[in-house]
Amino acid sequence: MATFAKPENALKRAEELINVGQKQAALQALHDLITSKRYRAWQKTLEKIMFKYVELCVDMRKGRYAKDGLIQYRIVCQQVNVSSLEEVIKYFMHLATEKAEQARNEAQALEDALDVEDLEADKRPEDLMLSYVSGEKGKDRSDRELVTPWFKFLWETYRTVLEILRNNSKLEALYAMTAHRAFQFCKQYKRTTEFRRLCEIIRNHLANLNKYRDQRDRPDLTAPESLQLYLDTRVDQLKIATDLELWQEAFRSVEDIHGLMSMVKKHPKPSLMVIYYAKLTEIFRVSESHLYHAYAWLKLFTLQKSYNKNLTQKDLQLIASSVLLSALSVTPYDHHCGSSHLEVENEKERNLRMASLIGFNIDPRKEAREVLSREALLSELSSKGVMACASQDVKDLYCLLENEFLPLDLAAKVQPLLTKISKLGGKLVSVSSVPEVQLTQYIPALENLCALRVLQQVSKVYHSMKIETLSKMIPFMDFSVVEKISVDAVKYKFVAMDINHQKGAVTFGNEDIESEELCDHLMVLTDSLNKARGLIYPPLNKQSRLGESLYGLADIVEKEHKRLLARKSIIEKRKEEHERQMLEKEREEESRRLKQQKTTEEAEQRRLAAEYTRREEQRIRREIEERELQEAQALLLQSEKGPKKKGKRPVLEGEKVTKQALIEMALSEQLKERQEMEKKLQRLAKTMDYMERAKREEEAPLIEQAFDQRLEEEKQIHELEQLKEIELSRQHHAGDIQEKNRLARILDNKVIFQRRIEGRREAEYTRLKEEREYRINQQKAMRERDVEMKRKLLYYIKTEEERLSKIQAEEEARKREEEERRKKEEAERKAKLDEIAEKQRQREKELEEKDRLIKEALRGRNIDPLPRPADSGAGLRSVEPAGAAAAAAPPSAGKYVPRFRREGAAAPPAEPDKRHGHDDRPSQTSDRWRSDDRDRRSSFTGSRLPSSSTSWSSSRTRG
């Protein structure tokens, strides 16, 4: 490492090394000087050294050296002379940009030089070998060799400068200028990747600025100048992002601007907000967020109408038409119908976020869909006077689509209006942020809205319609597009319809078995049929108590079922309400915590600011005192030197003299010296004036005499030169005449030679022209053959695709028919099984009825009085036929039968099961169950219950 006594020596040494071609050694010498700790005080020589240093860095593309040198120079200049650092950085960026432009121009010139006029000329062998090996074209190779390194260095230059200037209050303007130039670099050369990295770098700088609040020379964002610079940088970033069509980065830039405005809590200038909302409209238009696009247009219309004094009536009408058409372009149904709870919450957060970006304040406790909706937007347009400012065609379109009910003529009336609206638009003279507005972009969305309105209105009038008729009602749209639109409309429950391509018809209305309308129709039909049945078969006057109990039991069961369903829904609602309350409580706690944290941070920030202000005041006061003491000491030394020259000595009393008195005494001495010096200068000026006047008076006649003598000499010289020129012209004229006479002899030969050359060239031209035409005809024939082959191949592919699609359709139809047949067979089998089960139940019921009749007969015999002993034989003989007769005869209702007679009665033989066949195994389980059933019935009988209730209980037990 070389050491220099003075910085000038290092600069001279570097220039000597550059002259002998050792740029690396010169750069290293200057780098050692700049990074040395010996030269920490700024001086003009250091600025010259930095200029030379950055020149070497740019010539050799040493970005790392440039960054180190600029960081050291920033440390030297930051507190003394910031403008010097600005000049060096500007010069550095200028050199890098100039080199990049020069490399691009050289590459362009090389590309132009490589263009060959003769297309038949063969390439050079070295060019062919290079193209085969590298696989690159000439332009790509020249760009890679010449342009790309300099572009990389220029990009590295911008990154280095932004890193050096970041978060410094004294270098804010230069930081903004550098960011602007970096954005222009990305825009000019279409550098999308570098633009994303640049946006991320600037975003990280702002994040670090908010994170580290106690650093030195930190910019104050509450200051209007700083805030304006930061906002201008973000707005420029937003413009370049939209120009490069980087819509995601543009949306992030919008979030950066909104975050900056929220952080500072200050409303920016209307001109910036106009640009902000103009770019928001473009972003939402590309993302097909029609609702947010319309709200952004509304905010832009409000700003223009309020703040733009130069706004013409034509521009206002065009903007209002754009607002109204963008609002109509929003789909008239909710896209989140039937979504899950998580999706609804995410959509709510998204709507709150978008509303904040657009500038609408929404209560978080309300549903954002209710605030930001199509209906709310249209009502707001009416209240703010947008309808009155729009054009008449747009108003008529709005009335047709929103207020009129014309299911058959709606599309026919809307189509000419759409044609007229598509021709509207143009440049806005008085709105610089929105240079051009074209209403053609809303035509597809308006056509979709018209198709939806036609479907909605037709569904209210017709139950079914042919597909051809519906296609004719919407002439500006193919039916496949209408079908696609209808799928979304049915999905989100806007229209209920069904398209049957086999029948070629469209059915409107929901015919599903679970639909509410069909359920209501079925209930009405059931009530009507019950009333008709009651009129045809009137009820008997004496109904059994069992039928009354069963009828009441069915009502009770139905009421209990409804009560349980209502209780279940109430429980679900209470759970949802509890979850909502818990979410609100957590949200309130989170907001309270954030508010408390924000308050604490603000208090800490105020304390740090006060502490910083106090320290700065102490430092400034201390520096002022030190400076005054130094000035006093300097004045004391001057006052001590002054009397030695004049032979006088000031009266000093040593330590008793105060600093103020010493300063006043020194100032008085300086004033006296200055006055004496001024008097001396006046006397000297007067003496010099007298001397100059006398000298000019003496030299005036001598000057005139010299002038006259010079004039005579020049006159004689002019006459001699003129004579020489005349003689020379005569000699040239004579020589030319002689040369003409000599060449006149070969004039005929020259004409003959000229004609021969022209004829040869004409024949060569004709031959080349014929060869070129022949070659062109061959190329045309080859192209026609290629086109014919491609057409045949496309026709074959299309035919094959149609055949495959037809086969696939037939296969699907066959599968559909098999599925329908299988379902039909399943239904028939189920009906047969139900019929068999019904017969089985009827048979069991008949068996139970027979069993009951036998038991009642036995119960009647048990009630009869006992016979006398004399007639015991006859009585016994008569019991059996009487018992048989009683078993055969129907018993009287409610008659008591003793237990021993019920047990002695013979059970009727059981019929064999037709489904399962005859089973010879003993049925122990069945006997045990019957005995238990008898005991249970006997207990019920012993408790003196009615017989009808006992029979109903046993039937319920068996069921």
Side-chain angles (χ1 to χ4, degrees):
M1 176 178 178
T3 57
F4 300 97
K6 294 182 180 180
E8 295 86 349
N9 299 338
L11 183 58
K12 292 178 182 179
R13 178 62 177 167
E15 291 177 351
E16 292 173 358
L17 292 172
I18 292 171
N19 292 331
V20 297
Q22 297 183 6
K23 292 185 178 181
Q24 182 64 37
L27 180 64
Q28 188 65 41
L30 294 180
H31 182 266
D32 294 340
L33 177 72
I34 293 168
T35 56
S36 176
K37 295 183 180 180
R38 295 180 59 184
Y39 307 103
R40 292 296 187 184
W42 183 86
Q43 47 185 326
K44 190 66 175 178
T45 309
L46 283 178
E47 184 176 352
K48 297 179 182 179
I49 291 173
M50 283 302 301
F51 283 142
K52 181 61 69 176
Y53 181 75
V54 296
E55 285 181 6
L56 290 173
C57 291
V58 172
D59 289 338
M60 303 176 66
R61 292 202 294 264
K62 298 290 185 181
R64 181 72 60 175
Y65 277 85
K67 184 176 182 180
D68 294 342
L70 289 174
I71 289 174
Q72 296 297 327
Y73 194 64
R74 182 190 64 180
I75 297 172
V76 174
C77 297
Q78 189 166 359
Q79 302 299 331
V80 181
N81 191 358
V82 181
S83 59
S84 176
L85 178 62
E86 293 182 4
E87 294 296 329
V88 172
I89 289 177
K90 288 180 181 178
Y91 185 64
F92 178 44
M93 290 192 294
H94 170 71
L95 289 177
T97 307
E98 187 178 6
K99 288 289 185 180
E101 289 290 337
Q102 184 179 356
R104 193 167 71 93
N105 294 333
E106 289 179 359
Q108 186 68 30
L110 183 60
E111 181 185 356
D112 296 338
L114 290 175
D115 292 339
V116 182
E117 296 181 359
D118 191 2
L119 298 177
E120 296 180 359
D122 296 333
K123 293 184 179 181
R124 295 179 299 173
E126 53 269 23
D127 293 339
L128 289 174
M129 290 180 65
L130 187 60
S131 63
Y132 290 149
V133 172
S134 62
E136 296 178 347
K137 297 181 180 180
K139 183 178 183 303
D140 298 336
R141 189 163 55 250
S142 61
D143 289 346
R144 181 171 56 82
E145 293 175 355
L146 298 176
V147 182
T148 306
W150 282 111
F151 275 9
K152 287 183 179 179
F153 180 75
L154 182 57
W155 167 244
E156 188 178 356
T157 300
Y158 287 131
R159 290 190 59 178
T160 300
V161 174
L162 289 174
E163 188 67 25
I164 291 172
L165 302 178
R166 67 183 178 91
N167 300 341
N168 196 320
S169 59
K170 297 180 180 180
L171 302 171
E172 288 177 343
L174 186 58
Y175 180 85
M177 186 267 291
T178 306
H180 175 72
R181 293 183 64 172
F183 288 144
Q184 293 301 322
F185 164 77
C186 297
K187 177 183 177 182
Q188 182 179 1
Y189 301 111
K190 307 297 181 183
R191 308 303 303 176
T192 56
T193 306
E194 285 75 12
F195 179 75
R196 293 191 186 94
R197 292 173 182 169
L198 180 62
C199 296
E200 195 64 30
I201 288 170
I202 296 177
R203 201 171 288 119
N204 290 335
H205 289 174
L206 183 60
N208 292 332
L209 177 64
N210 296 325
K211 185 176 180 181
Y212 304 106
R213 297 178 179 272
D214 55 347
Q215 64 182 3
R216 189 176 182 182
D217 296 327
R218 176 182 175 273
D220 186 10
L221 293 180
T222 58
E225 296 81 5
S226 302
L227 177 61
Q228 189 64 34
L229 287 174
Y230 274 86
L231 284 176
D232 290 340
T233 303
R234 267 64 184 181
V235 170
D236 196 9
Q237 173 182 332
L238 177 59
K239 289 180 181 178
I240 303 301
T242 53
D243 291 340
L244 295 176
E245 296 183 356
L246 298 175
W247 303 111
Q248 186 174 4
E249 198 62 44
F251 184 74
R252 295 186 68 186
S253 302
V254 168
E255 289 182 331
D256 293 341
I257 296 173
H258 181 263
L260 197 59
M261 292 189 295
S262 303
M263 187 190 309
V264 182
K265 304 295 184 183
K266 288 185 179 180
H267 199 70
K269 295 180 180 179
S271 59
L272 287 180
M273 296 306 298
V274 167
I275 298 174
Y276 175 80
Y277 286 115
K279 298 304 178 182
L280 262 182
T281 56
E282 294 185 21
I283 295 170
F284 289 139
R285 176 181 61 82
V286 173
S287 63
E288 296 183 357
S289 300
H290 300 293
L291 181 61
Y292 305 136
H293 174 72
Y295 270 104
W297 261 117
L298 177 60
K299 294 293 289 185
L300 183 60
F301 171 81
T302 307
L303 284 173
Q304 290 291 338
K305 190 175 180 182
S306 302
Y307 296 101
N308 194 350
K309 304 300 180 183
N310 301 323
L311 188 64
T312 61
Q313 186 64 29
K314 182 179 179 182
D315 294 346
L316 181 63
Q317 184 179 7
L318 196 56
I319 295 174
S321 301
S322 300
V323 176
L324 186 54
L325 291 179
S326 62
L328 288 176
S329 300
V330 182
T331 52
Y333 50 81
D334 188 8
H335 285 275
H336 304 282
C337 181
S339 301
S340 62
H341 180 70
L342 181 60
E343 292 177 353
V344 171
E345 287 296 325
N346 294 334
E347 181 64 21
K348 182 177 180 181
E349 293 179 0
R350 181 172 178 269
N351 287 334
L352 290 174
R353 180 183 174 193
M354 293 300 172
S356 178
L357 288 178
I358 298 173
F360 284 87
N361 296 322
I362 297 178
D363 188 2
R365 292 174 293 180
K366 293 183 179 181
E367 288 289 337
R369 289 180 294 175
E370 298 176 1
V371 181
L372 292 182
S373 62
R374 188 174 187 271
E375 293 76 13
L377 177 61
L378 291 176
S379 63
E380 193 167 358
L381 294 183
S382 301
S383 62
K384 291 189 176 181
V386 179
M387 303 286 189
C389 298
S391 62
Q392 188 61 36
D393 294 334
V394 177
K395 293 179 185 177
D396 296 341
L397 180 66
Y398 172 77
C399 293
L400 284 174
L401 293 177
E402 298 297 328
N403 300 328
E404 298 293 337
F405 186 81
L406 302 169
L408 298 178
D409 302 333
L410 180 62
K413 291 185 177 181
V414 166
Q415 188 174 6
L417 291 177
L418 293 179
T419 306
K420 293 179 181 179
I421 290 173
S422 64
K423 298 178 181 179
L424 298 178
K427 294 184 178 181
L428 301 181
V429 181
S430 58
V431 185
S432 60
S433 60
V434 188
E436 188 175 3
V437 174
Q438 294 295 337
L439 302 184
T440 313
Q441 59 184 344
Y442 301 110
I443 298 301
L446 293 175
E447 290 178 350
N448 294 342
L449 176 64
C450 180
L452 286 173
R453 291 301 185 195
V454 169
L455 293 176
Q456 184 186 23
Q457 294 178 9
V458 167
S459 66
K460 295 180 180 179
V461 178
Y462 294 93
H463 180 268
S464 62
M465 178 179 289
K466 290 184 178 180
I467 294 177
E468 297 178 357
T469 306
L470 185 60
S471 300
K472 292 178 181 178
M473 292 174 61
I474 309 175
F476 50 80
M477 191 176 292
D478 192 24
F479 185 74
S480 60
V481 182
V482 176
E483 186 175 5
K484 185 177 180 181
I485 295 172
S486 64
V487 168
D488 290 337
V490 171
K491 178 182 178 181
Y492 298 113
K493 299 182 180 180
F494 181 71
V495 177
M497 59 184 294
D498 185 15
I499 300 175
N500 192 337
H501 287 281
Q502 291 182 347
K503 296 180 180 179
V506 179
T507 305
F508 298 101
N510 193 356
E511 297 299 332
D512 190 7
I513 197 65
E514 297 180 357
S515 63
E516 296 180 358
E517 297 179 0
L518 189 58
C519 289
D520 294 339
H521 288 308
L522 290 176
M523 292 297 294
V524 172
L525 179 62
T526 303
D527 295 339
S528 300
L529 291 176
N530 286 332
K531 291 180 182 178
R533 181 177 179 278
L535 293 175
I536 296 173
Y537 301 105
L540 298 175
N541 294 329
K542 296 181 179 181
Q543 294 181 351
S544 63
R545 298 179 64 186
L546 177 61
E548 292 178 356
S549 301
L550 290 175
Y551 183 79
L553 180 63
D555 294 338
I556 292 171
V557 170
E558 183 68 19
K559 290 180 181 179
E560 186 68 18
H561 180 63
K562 290 182 179 179
R563 188 182 67 80
L564 291 175
L565 291 177
R567 183 172 179 271
K568 183 179 179 181
S569 63
I570 291 171
I571 291 172
E572 293 292 333
K573 289 181 180 178
R574 286 180 180 176
K575 287 182 179 179
E576 293 177 358
E577 183 68 20
H578 181 67
E579 291 177 356
R580 189 181 63 80
Q581 291 178 358
M582 291 298 293
L583 287 174
E584 289 182 358
K585 186 176 180 181
E586 291 177 359
R587 195 178 291 111
E588 290 176 357
E589 291 178 355
E590 183 67 16
S591 61
R592 193 182 303 112
R593 185 184 64 80
L594 292 175
K595 187 175 181 181
Q596 184 177 2
Q597 182 180 0
K598 185 177 179 182
T599 306
T600 306
E601 289 178 357
E602 289 177 354
E604 183 66 20
Q605 186 176 1
R606 287 195 298 270
R607 186 187 67 79
L608 292 174
E611 183 69 19
Y612 177 77
T613 305
R614 184 179 62 81
R615 290 180 180 177
E616 285 292 321
E617 289 177 355
Q618 291 179 357
R619 183 181 61 80
I620 293 171
R621 194 178 299 111
R622 188 166 56 252
E623 289 178 357
I624 292 172
E625 291 175 356
E626 292 175 358
R627 194 181 299 112
E628 288 178 353
L629 183 58
Q630 291 177 0
E631 291 176 356
Q633 292 176 357
L635 290 175
L636 180 59
L637 293 175
Q638 291 180 3
S639 62
E640 289 178 356
K641 294 177 181 179
K644 292 180 182 179
K645 296 179 181 178
K646 297 182 181 180
K648 298 181 181 179
R649 186 181 300 275
V651 179
L652 296 175
E653 298 180 0
E655 296 180 357
K656 294 182 181 180
V657 179
T658 61
K659 182 178 67 175
Q660 187 66 27
L662 189 60
I663 291 173
E664 291 178 357
M665 183 176 62
L667 290 175
S668 63
E669 290 292 334
Q670 287 182 357
L671 182 60
K672 289 179 183 179
E673 292 179 359
R674 192 178 300 113
Q675 289 176 355
E676 291 177 357
M677 184 62 67
E678 288 177 357
K679 290 179 181 180
K680 185 178 179 180
L681 290 175
Q682 288 177 0
R683 289 194 299 269
L684 181 61
K686 192 173 182 181
T687 304
M688 292 180 65
D689 189 14
Y690 288 156
M691 290 292 293
E692 186 67 23
R693 186 183 301 168
K695 185 174 67 173
R696 291 188 179 183
E697 287 177 356
E698 291 294 332
E699 69 182 4
L702 297 176
I703 291 174
E704 291 179 359
Q705 183 180 357
F707 176 73
D708 294 338
Q709 184 178 358
R710 179 69 177 175
L711 188 62
E712 290 294 334
E713 292 176 356
E714 289 182 353
K715 186 176 181 181
Q716 294 176 4
I717 292 171
H718 174 69
E719 291 176 355
L720 292 174
E721 292 291 337
Q722 191 174 5
L723 292 174
K724 289 181 181 180
E725 186 67 28
I726 291 170
E727 185 64 26
L728 188 61
S729 297
R730 288 175 181 174
Q731 293 177 2
H732 283 306
H733 180 66
D736 291 340
I737 291 174
Q738 186 179 0
E739 186 69 19
K740 178 182 178 183
N741 295 331
R742 188 178 67 84
L743 295 176
R745 294 176 297 174
I746 61 173
L747 180 60
D748 297 336
N749 296 328
K750 174 255 180 185
V751 173
I752 294 171
F753 180 74
Q754 181 179 354
R755 289 176 181 174
R756 187 186 305 138
I757 294 298
E758 288 178 353
R760 190 185 306 160
R761 289 184 179 178
E762 185 176 0
E764 183 69 18
Y765 171 73
T766 305
R767 184 180 63 81
L768 292 175
K769 184 177 179 181
E770 291 176 355
E771 291 179 357
R772 180 173 175 274
E773 290 178 355
Y774 175 73
R775 197 162 51 250
I776 289 173
N777 292 331
Q778 284 186 345
Q779 291 180 358
K780 284 183 179 179
M782 290 176 65
R783 289 179 182 174
E784 288 177 357
R785 287 197 299 272
D786 293 341
V787 170
E788 184 66 20
M789 289 178 65
K790 288 182 181 178
R791 187 182 64 78
K792 290 181 179 179
L793 180 60
L794 290 175
Y795 176 74
Y796 172 75
I797 292 173
K798 183 178 179 181
T799 306
E800 188 67 19
E801 289 179 352
E802 290 178 355
R803 186 181 66 80
L804 293 176
S805 62
K806 185 176 180 181
I807 293 172
Q808 186 177 2
E810 292 176 355
E811 183 67 21
E812 290 179 356
R814 185 182 62 77
K815 290 182 180 179
R816 198 180 301 111
E817 291 177 358
E818 290 181 357
E819 183 67 21
E820 291 178 357
R821 181 175 56 78
R822 187 182 61 77
K823 288 183 180 179
K824 187 175 180 181
E825 292 177 356
E826 184 70 21
E828 292 177 356
R829 186 178 65 81
K830 187 176 181 181
K832 290 181 180 179
L833 292 176
D834 293 341
E835 184 178 358
I836 293 171
E838 183 66 26
K839 289 181 179 180
Q840 182 68 21
R841 285 195 297 270
Q842 189 67 25
R843 188 181 300 110
E844 292 177 356
K845 187 175 180 181
E846 291 176 358
L847 292 175
E848 290 176 0
E849 186 69 21
K850 289 180 181 180
D851 189 12
R852 185 177 64 79
L853 291 175
I854 292 171
K855 291 176 182 179
E856 288 181 356
L858 293 175
R859 192 182 301 117
R861 287 179 59 190
N862 195 14
I863 295 174
D864 292 339
L866 295 174
R868 293 187 297 271
D871 299 336
S872 60
L876 289 173
R877 283 191 300 268
S878 63
V879 166
E880 294 180 358
S892 61
K895 191 174 182 180
Y896 174 74
V897 179
R899 182 176 181 182
F900 67 91
R901 289 195 177 184
R902 280 185 285 126
E903 293 178 352
E911 295 183 1
D913 194 351
K914 294 181 180 180
R915 290 178 297 172
H916 302 289
H918 182 68
D919 192 1
D920 296 333
R921 293 177 295 176
S923 59
Q924 298 176 358
T925 307
S926 177
D927 295 340
R928 186 171 64 251
W929 178 80
R930 287 178 182 175
S931 64
D932 294 340
D933 192 18
R934 290 193 196 100
D935 295 340
R936 194 179 298 111
R937 283 200 298 270
S938 64
S939 63
F940 286 156
T941 307
S943 60
R944 298 181 182 273
L945 287 174
S947 61
S948 61
S949 300
T950 306
S951 302
W952 173 77
S953 301
S954 60
S955 64
R956 289 285 293 176
T957 304
R958 286 190 295 273

